[in-house]
Amino acid sequence: MKLIDGKQTAQDLKKDIAVEVADFIRQYGRRPHLAAVLVGEDPASQTYVRNKEKDCKEVGMDSSLYKFPDTITREELISCVQTINDDPEIDGLIVQLPLPDHLDAQEIIETIDPSKDVDGFHPVNVGRMVLGLPSFVSATPAGIADLLEYYKIPTQGKECVIIGRSNIVGKPLANLLSQKGPGGDCTVTLCHSRTKELDKICRRADILIAALGRPGFLKANMVKEGAVVIDVGISRVEDKNTKSGFRLAGDVDFEQVAPRCSYITPVPGGVGPMTRVSLLKNTLKAALKHIK
Ligand code: GUN
């Protein structure tokens, strides 16, 4: 069993991005700039946004945070997104999810200028990605694809099973891995809460991806010997033995599953850091696009 070290891979890729950012600054006299919009006090969202700002700094990009209380109205939030859309200094814009219940996340996403939608959540980008056209691919699927490439894990003709059909991970990932060409060409099965005989389907997988958000869900009896297992889950579970009172847990029962795998990602330190790198890559891509 080989552990896929997402943290180290992300560190390596960030070095390459930093070089490209330095080139960009030399050529165009300004830094690529990512704006994050954060509504409310959700601790996980606050951590994610803080990390994104830290990543930007590390590779030489600018970042700004637009922070609002969860009492913000739909009109105020849309107005903020439009202001960022119109700001020529800002290349990429993300609205951190989830949003409070009184706000319709889809409506807000659809107000983002697709050329600044570095999360790849806007229907224009999702549609273009499905068609295999140049687009912003959402960060987690892109990060997983990069991780498979970095570890030279072949995808062509492989059976790939994804558990979880979210708009952010499962659905785009199924599309990405079944695209024609390098990094794709998988035979993909997308499973969800209504899937029958899930265990049996999972045992078919050469590449098994758990993205359902249920800690420890994937057990050893669901994994074929020698499979590649990618754990997208990252849940906070109570743990009285830690200082914070919680720990981060993936969707895979790591202790049970790891011995059966050829490769496996840990949580934390697997997919998470790669997601953050994808956002940086998309922001640089947006900045280059805006220059042109
Ligand atoms: N919440 C959880 N993951 C993400 C993400 O990739 N982007 C945004 N905007 N919000 C999220």
Side-chain angles (χ1 to χ4, degrees), residues 178-223:
S178 55
Q179 295 277 359
K180 196 178 174 78
D185 290 330
C186 281
T187 305
V188 178
T189 307
L190 184 56
C191 301
H192 46 76
S193 53
R194 301 285 186 274
T195 297
K196 294 202 173 84
E197 300 192 306
L198 180 66
D199 297 12
K200 199 169 142 192
I201 295 172
C202 287
R203 280 196 297 273
R204 273 205 326 243
D206 302 308
I207 302 171
L208 182 52
I209 301 170
L212 69 159
R214 297 239 317 251
F217 178 85
L218 194 86
K219 303 290 182 194
N221 68 341
M222 301 167 82
V223 181

Short mmCIF file of all heavy atoms in Angstrom, two decimals, residues 178-223:
data_model
loop_
_atom_site.label_atom_id
_atom_site.label_comp_id
_atom_site.label_asym_id
_atom_site.label_seq_id
_atom_site.Cartn_x
_atom_site.Cartn_y
_atom_site.Cartn_z
N SER A 178 -14.46 10.50 -17.20
CA SER A 178 -14.94 9.77 -18.39
C SER A 178 -14.66 10.53 -19.68
O SER A 178 -14.97 10.04 -20.77
CB SER A 178 -16.43 9.44 -18.26
OG SER A 178 -17.18 10.60 -18.01
N GLN A 179 -14.05 11.73 -19.57
CA GLN A 179 -13.68 12.49 -20.79
C GLN A 179 -12.71 11.66 -21.63
O GLN A 179 -11.92 10.90 -21.09
CB GLN A 179 -12.96 13.79 -20.43
CG GLN A 179 -13.76 14.80 -19.68
CD GLN A 179 -14.65 15.68 -20.57
OE1 GLN A 179 -14.64 15.52 -21.79
NE2 GLN A 179 -15.40 16.55 -19.96
N LYS A 180 -12.76 11.91 -22.93
CA LYS A 180 -11.82 11.26 -23.84
C LYS A 180 -10.43 11.87 -23.63
O LYS A 180 -10.31 13.10 -23.53
CB LYS A 180 -12.29 11.53 -25.26
CG LYS A 180 -11.68 10.66 -26.33
CD LYS A 180 -12.32 11.05 -27.67
CE LYS A 180 -11.67 10.35 -28.82
NZ LYS A 180 -12.10 8.97 -28.97
N GLY A 181 -9.41 11.04 -23.54
CA GLY A 181 -8.04 11.56 -23.51
C GLY A 181 -7.32 11.32 -22.20
O GLY A 181 -7.87 10.71 -21.28
N PRO A 182 -6.06 11.81 -22.13
CA PRO A 182 -5.22 11.57 -20.96
C PRO A 182 -5.90 12.02 -19.67
O PRO A 182 -6.52 13.08 -19.63
CB PRO A 182 -3.97 12.41 -21.22
CG PRO A 182 -3.97 12.68 -22.69
CD PRO A 182 -5.39 12.65 -23.14
N GLY A 183 -5.80 11.21 -18.62
CA GLY A 183 -6.44 11.54 -17.34
C GLY A 183 -7.91 11.17 -17.30
O GLY A 183 -8.56 11.30 -16.26
N GLY A 184 -8.43 10.73 -18.43
CA GLY A 184 -9.85 10.35 -18.51
C GLY A 184 -9.97 8.90 -18.97
O GLY A 184 -9.20 8.05 -18.52
N ASP A 185 -10.94 8.67 -19.85
CA ASP A 185 -11.14 7.34 -20.44
C ASP A 185 -11.48 6.26 -19.41
O ASP A 185 -11.25 5.07 -19.66
CB ASP A 185 -9.92 6.91 -21.26
CG ASP A 185 -9.76 7.74 -22.54
OD1 ASP A 185 -10.79 8.18 -23.08
OD2 ASP A 185 -8.62 7.95 -22.98
N CYS A 186 -11.98 6.67 -18.24
CA CYS A 186 -12.45 5.69 -17.26
C CYS A 186 -13.88 5.27 -17.61
O CYS A 186 -14.63 6.01 -18.24
CB CYS A 186 -12.55 6.31 -15.86
SG CYS A 186 -11.01 6.47 -14.99
N THR A 187 -14.25 4.08 -17.15
CA THR A 187 -15.66 3.68 -17.16
C THR A 187 -16.20 4.02 -15.78
O THR A 187 -15.78 3.44 -14.79
CB THR A 187 -15.77 2.16 -17.41
OG1 THR A 187 -15.07 1.87 -18.62
CG2 THR A 187 -17.23 1.72 -17.50
N VAL A 188 -17.07 5.03 -15.74
CA VAL A 188 -17.46 5.59 -14.43
C VAL A 188 -18.86 5.14 -14.01
O VAL A 188 -19.79 5.17 -14.81
CB VAL A 188 -17.42 7.14 -14.48
CG1 VAL A 188 -17.87 7.72 -13.14
CG2 VAL A 188 -16.03 7.64 -14.83
N THR A 189 -18.97 4.73 -12.76
CA THR A 189 -20.29 4.48 -12.15
C THR A 189 -20.46 5.48 -11.02
O THR A 189 -19.59 5.58 -10.14
CB THR A 189 -20.35 3.04 -11.58
OG1 THR A 189 -19.98 2.12 -12.61
CG2 THR A 189 -21.76 2.72 -11.09
N LEU A 190 -21.55 6.26 -11.09
CA LEU A 190 -21.81 7.28 -10.07
C LEU A 190 -22.89 6.76 -9.13
O LEU A 190 -24.04 6.58 -9.53
CB LEU A 190 -22.24 8.58 -10.76
CG LEU A 190 -22.48 9.79 -9.86
CD1 LEU A 190 -21.25 10.11 -9.03
CD2 LEU A 190 -22.85 11.00 -10.71
N CYS A 191 -22.51 6.50 -7.89
CA CYS A 191 -23.44 5.91 -6.92
C CYS A 191 -23.96 6.97 -5.95
O CYS A 191 -23.32 8.00 -5.74
CB CYS A 191 -22.74 4.82 -6.11
SG CYS A 191 -22.09 3.50 -7.14
N HIS A 192 -25.10 6.68 -5.35
CA HIS A 192 -25.72 7.65 -4.42
C HIS A 192 -26.60 6.90 -3.43
O HIS A 192 -26.61 5.66 -3.40
CB HIS A 192 -26.51 8.68 -5.23
CG HIS A 192 -27.36 8.08 -6.30
ND1 HIS A 192 -28.54 7.44 -6.01
CD2 HIS A 192 -27.16 7.95 -7.63
CE1 HIS A 192 -29.06 6.98 -7.13
NE2 HIS A 192 -28.22 7.27 -8.12
N SER A 193 -27.37 7.68 -2.66
CA SER A 193 -28.11 7.07 -1.55
C SER A 193 -29.18 6.07 -2.01
O SER A 193 -29.65 5.26 -1.21
CB SER A 193 -28.77 8.17 -0.71
OG SER A 193 -29.52 9.02 -1.56
N ARG A 194 -29.58 6.11 -3.27
CA ARG A 194 -30.60 5.17 -3.76
C ARG A 194 -29.98 3.98 -4.52
O ARG A 194 -30.69 3.16 -5.06
CB ARG A 194 -31.60 5.88 -4.69
CG ARG A 194 -32.34 7.03 -4.06
CD ARG A 194 -33.43 6.53 -3.09
NE ARG A 194 -34.22 7.63 -2.58
CZ ARG A 194 -33.90 8.37 -1.52
NH1 ARG A 194 -32.78 8.12 -0.86
NH2 ARG A 194 -34.68 9.34 -1.12
N THR A 195 -28.68 3.94 -4.60
CA THR A 195 -28.01 2.86 -5.35
C THR A 195 -28.23 1.52 -4.66
O THR A 195 -28.09 1.41 -3.44
CB THR A 195 -26.50 3.15 -5.45
OG1 THR A 195 -26.33 4.36 -6.17
CG2 THR A 195 -25.75 2.03 -6.14
N LYS A 196 -28.60 0.52 -5.47
CA LYS A 196 -28.79 -0.83 -4.92
C LYS A 196 -27.47 -1.59 -5.01
O LYS A 196 -26.69 -1.39 -5.93
CB LYS A 196 -29.85 -1.57 -5.73
CG LYS A 196 -31.24 -0.95 -5.59
CD LYS A 196 -32.31 -1.98 -5.93
CE LYS A 196 -33.70 -1.44 -5.64
NZ LYS A 196 -34.23 -0.64 -6.73
N GLU A 197 -27.25 -2.47 -4.04
CA GLU A 197 -26.05 -3.32 -4.00
C GLU A 197 -24.76 -2.49 -4.13
O GLU A 197 -23.88 -2.79 -4.95
CB GLU A 197 -26.12 -4.38 -5.10
CG GLU A 197 -27.34 -5.27 -4.94
CD GLU A 197 -27.28 -6.50 -5.82
OE1 GLU A 197 -27.10 -6.35 -7.05
OE2 GLU A 197 -27.40 -7.60 -5.27
N LEU A 198 -24.68 -1.44 -3.32
CA LEU A 198 -23.53 -0.54 -3.37
C LEU A 198 -22.22 -1.30 -3.13
O LEU A 198 -21.22 -1.08 -3.83
CB LEU A 198 -23.71 0.59 -2.33
CG LEU A 198 -22.58 1.61 -2.27
CD1 LEU A 198 -22.49 2.42 -3.55
CD2 LEU A 198 -22.74 2.55 -1.08
N ASP A 199 -22.23 -2.21 -2.14
CA ASP A 199 -20.99 -2.94 -1.80
C ASP A 199 -20.45 -3.65 -3.04
O ASP A 199 -19.25 -3.61 -3.33
CB ASP A 199 -21.24 -4.00 -0.72
CG ASP A 199 -21.69 -3.38 0.59
OD1 ASP A 199 -22.02 -2.18 0.58
OD2 ASP A 199 -21.71 -4.10 1.60
N LYS A 200 -21.37 -4.31 -3.75
CA LYS A 200 -20.99 -5.10 -4.92
C LYS A 200 -20.41 -4.20 -6.02
O LYS A 200 -19.39 -4.53 -6.64
CB LYS A 200 -22.24 -5.83 -5.42
CG LYS A 200 -21.97 -7.00 -6.32
CD LYS A 200 -23.25 -7.77 -6.53
CE LYS A 200 -23.33 -8.26 -7.95
NZ LYS A 200 -24.66 -8.76 -8.28
N ILE A 201 -21.06 -3.07 -6.24
CA ILE A 201 -20.58 -2.14 -7.28
C ILE A 201 -19.19 -1.61 -6.89
O ILE A 201 -18.29 -1.55 -7.72
CB ILE A 201 -21.58 -0.99 -7.48
CG1 ILE A 201 -22.89 -1.55 -8.04
CG2 ILE A 201 -21.01 0.08 -8.42
CD1 ILE A 201 -24.02 -0.55 -8.09
N CYS A 202 -19.04 -1.26 -5.62
CA CYS A 202 -17.75 -0.72 -5.17
C CYS A 202 -16.62 -1.74 -5.37
O CYS A 202 -15.50 -1.35 -5.72
CB CYS A 202 -17.82 -0.32 -3.69
SG CYS A 202 -18.77 1.17 -3.42
N ARG A 203 -16.94 -3.00 -5.17
CA ARG A 203 -15.89 -4.04 -5.30
C ARG A 203 -15.40 -4.19 -6.73
O ARG A 203 -14.38 -4.82 -6.98
CB ARG A 203 -16.40 -5.37 -4.75
CG ARG A 203 -16.33 -5.47 -3.23
CD ARG A 203 -16.46 -6.90 -2.74
NE ARG A 203 -17.75 -7.48 -3.08
CZ ARG A 203 -18.86 -7.38 -2.34
NH1 ARG A 203 -18.84 -6.72 -1.20
NH2 ARG A 203 -19.98 -7.96 -2.72
N ARG A 204 -16.13 -3.63 -7.69
CA ARG A 204 -15.70 -3.65 -9.10
C ARG A 204 -14.60 -2.63 -9.37
O ARG A 204 -13.90 -2.71 -10.37
CB ARG A 204 -16.88 -3.22 -9.98
CG ARG A 204 -17.81 -4.27 -10.38
CD ARG A 204 -18.57 -3.96 -11.66
NE ARG A 204 -18.95 -2.60 -11.94
CZ ARG A 204 -20.22 -2.18 -12.05
NH1 ARG A 204 -21.21 -3.03 -11.87
NH2 ARG A 204 -20.50 -0.93 -12.36
N ALA A 205 -14.49 -1.64 -8.48
CA ALA A 205 -13.70 -0.45 -8.81
C ALA A 205 -12.19 -0.68 -8.79
O ALA A 205 -11.64 -1.24 -7.83
CB ALA A 205 -14.04 0.67 -7.84
N ASP A 206 -11.53 -0.20 -9.86
CA ASP A 206 -10.07 -0.07 -9.81
C ASP A 206 -9.73 1.23 -9.09
O ASP A 206 -8.72 1.32 -8.40
CB ASP A 206 -9.50 0.01 -11.24
CG ASP A 206 -9.87 -1.20 -12.08
OD1 ASP A 206 -9.60 -2.32 -11.60
OD2 ASP A 206 -10.43 -1.03 -13.19
N ILE A 207 -10.56 2.26 -9.32
CA ILE A 207 -10.41 3.54 -8.63
C ILE A 207 -11.73 3.82 -7.92
O ILE A 207 -12.78 3.89 -8.55
CB ILE A 207 -10.09 4.68 -9.64
CG1 ILE A 207 -8.81 4.36 -10.43
CG2 ILE A 207 -9.96 6.02 -8.92
CD1 ILE A 207 -8.53 5.32 -11.59
N LEU A 208 -11.65 3.93 -6.61
CA LEU A 208 -12.87 4.07 -5.80
C LEU A 208 -12.80 5.41 -5.07
O LEU A 208 -11.84 5.68 -4.33
CB LEU A 208 -12.93 2.90 -4.81
CG LEU A 208 -14.12 2.77 -3.87
CD1 LEU A 208 -15.45 2.84 -4.62
CD2 LEU A 208 -14.03 1.44 -3.11
N ILE A 209 -13.80 6.23 -5.29
CA ILE A 209 -13.77 7.61 -4.74
C ILE A 209 -14.96 7.82 -3.82
O ILE A 209 -16.12 7.70 -4.25
CB ILE A 209 -13.75 8.64 -5.88
CG1 ILE A 209 -12.51 8.39 -6.77
CG2 ILE A 209 -13.73 10.07 -5.32
CD1 ILE A 209 -12.47 9.17 -8.05
N ALA A 210 -14.69 8.10 -2.56
CA ALA A 210 -15.75 8.29 -1.58
C ALA A 210 -15.96 9.78 -1.35
O ALA A 210 -15.05 10.47 -0.88
CB ALA A 210 -15.39 7.60 -0.28
N ALA A 211 -17.13 10.27 -1.73
CA ALA A 211 -17.42 11.72 -1.63
C ALA A 211 -18.87 11.90 -1.20
O ALA A 211 -19.65 12.56 -1.86
CB ALA A 211 -17.16 12.39 -2.98
N LEU A 212 -19.21 11.27 -0.08
CA LEU A 212 -20.61 11.35 0.36
C LEU A 212 -20.78 12.11 1.68
O LEU A 212 -21.89 12.46 2.07
CB LEU A 212 -21.25 9.94 0.45
CG LEU A 212 -20.76 9.00 1.56
CD1 LEU A 212 -21.81 7.92 1.80
CD2 LEU A 212 -19.44 8.36 1.21
N GLY A 213 -19.65 12.35 2.38
CA GLY A 213 -19.73 13.12 3.61
C GLY A 213 -20.25 12.34 4.80
O GLY A 213 -20.93 12.91 5.65
N ARG A 214 -19.93 11.04 4.85
CA ARG A 214 -20.31 10.23 6.02
C ARG A 214 -19.05 9.58 6.58
O ARG A 214 -18.49 8.65 5.98
CB ARG A 214 -21.31 9.12 5.63
CG ARG A 214 -22.62 9.65 5.10
CD ARG A 214 -23.85 9.22 5.88
NE ARG A 214 -23.90 7.83 6.29
CZ ARG A 214 -24.72 6.92 5.77
NH1 ARG A 214 -25.51 7.23 4.74
NH2 ARG A 214 -24.77 5.71 6.25
N PRO A 215 -18.56 10.07 7.73
CA PRO A 215 -17.28 9.60 8.26
C PRO A 215 -17.22 8.07 8.42
O PRO A 215 -18.15 7.47 8.95
CB PRO A 215 -17.17 10.30 9.62
CG PRO A 215 -18.34 11.20 9.76
CD PRO A 215 -19.21 11.10 8.56
N GLY A 216 -16.13 7.50 7.91
CA GLY A 216 -15.86 6.07 8.07
C GLY A 216 -16.80 5.15 7.31
O GLY A 216 -16.87 3.96 7.57
N PHE A 217 -17.50 5.68 6.30
CA PHE A 217 -18.54 4.91 5.59
C PHE A 217 -17.96 3.72 4.81
O PHE A 217 -18.52 2.64 4.78
CB PHE A 217 -19.28 5.84 4.63
CG PHE A 217 -20.33 5.17 3.80
CD1 PHE A 217 -21.62 5.00 4.28
CD2 PHE A 217 -20.04 4.70 2.51
CE1 PHE A 217 -22.59 4.37 3.52
CE2 PHE A 217 -21.01 4.08 1.75
CZ PHE A 217 -22.29 3.92 2.25
N LEU A 218 -16.84 3.94 4.13
CA LEU A 218 -16.30 2.91 3.23
C LEU A 218 -15.51 1.88 4.03
O LEU A 218 -14.47 2.19 4.62
CB LEU A 218 -15.41 3.54 2.16
CG LEU A 218 -15.10 2.59 1.00
CD1 LEU A 218 -16.20 2.63 -0.04
CD2 LEU A 218 -13.77 2.94 0.36
N LYS A 219 -16.00 0.63 4.00
CA LYS A 219 -15.39 -0.45 4.79
C LYS A 219 -14.60 -1.39 3.87
O LYS A 219 -14.79 -1.39 2.65
CB LYS A 219 -16.47 -1.25 5.51
CG LYS A 219 -17.37 -0.41 6.43
CD LYS A 219 -16.60 0.07 7.64
CE LYS A 219 -17.51 0.87 8.57
NZ LYS A 219 -16.78 1.63 9.58
N ALA A 220 -13.77 -2.22 4.49
CA ALA A 220 -12.88 -3.11 3.73
C ALA A 220 -13.65 -4.03 2.77
O ALA A 220 -13.18 -4.31 1.67
CB ALA A 220 -12.03 -3.93 4.70
N ASN A 221 -14.84 -4.50 3.17
CA ASN A 221 -15.58 -5.44 2.31
C ASN A 221 -16.14 -4.78 1.06
O ASN A 221 -16.75 -5.43 0.22
CB ASN A 221 -16.71 -6.11 3.10
CG ASN A 221 -17.81 -5.13 3.48
OD1 ASN A 221 -17.61 -3.92 3.47
ND2 ASN A 221 -18.98 -5.65 3.78
N MET A 222 -15.94 -3.45 0.92
CA MET A 222 -16.43 -2.74 -0.27
C MET A 222 -15.29 -2.47 -1.25
O MET A 222 -15.49 -1.81 -2.28
CB MET A 222 -17.06 -1.40 0.16
CG MET A 222 -18.21 -1.59 1.13
SD MET A 222 -18.69 -0.04 1.91
CE MET A 222 -19.74 0.66 0.68
N VAL A 223 -14.09 -2.96 -0.92
CA VAL A 223 -12.90 -2.59 -1.69
C VAL A 223 -12.22 -3.82 -2.29
O VAL A 223 -11.92 -4.78 -1.56
CB VAL A 223 -11.90 -1.82 -0.79
CG1 VAL A 223 -10.67 -1.40 -1.56
CG2 VAL A 223 -12.57 -0.61 -0.14
#
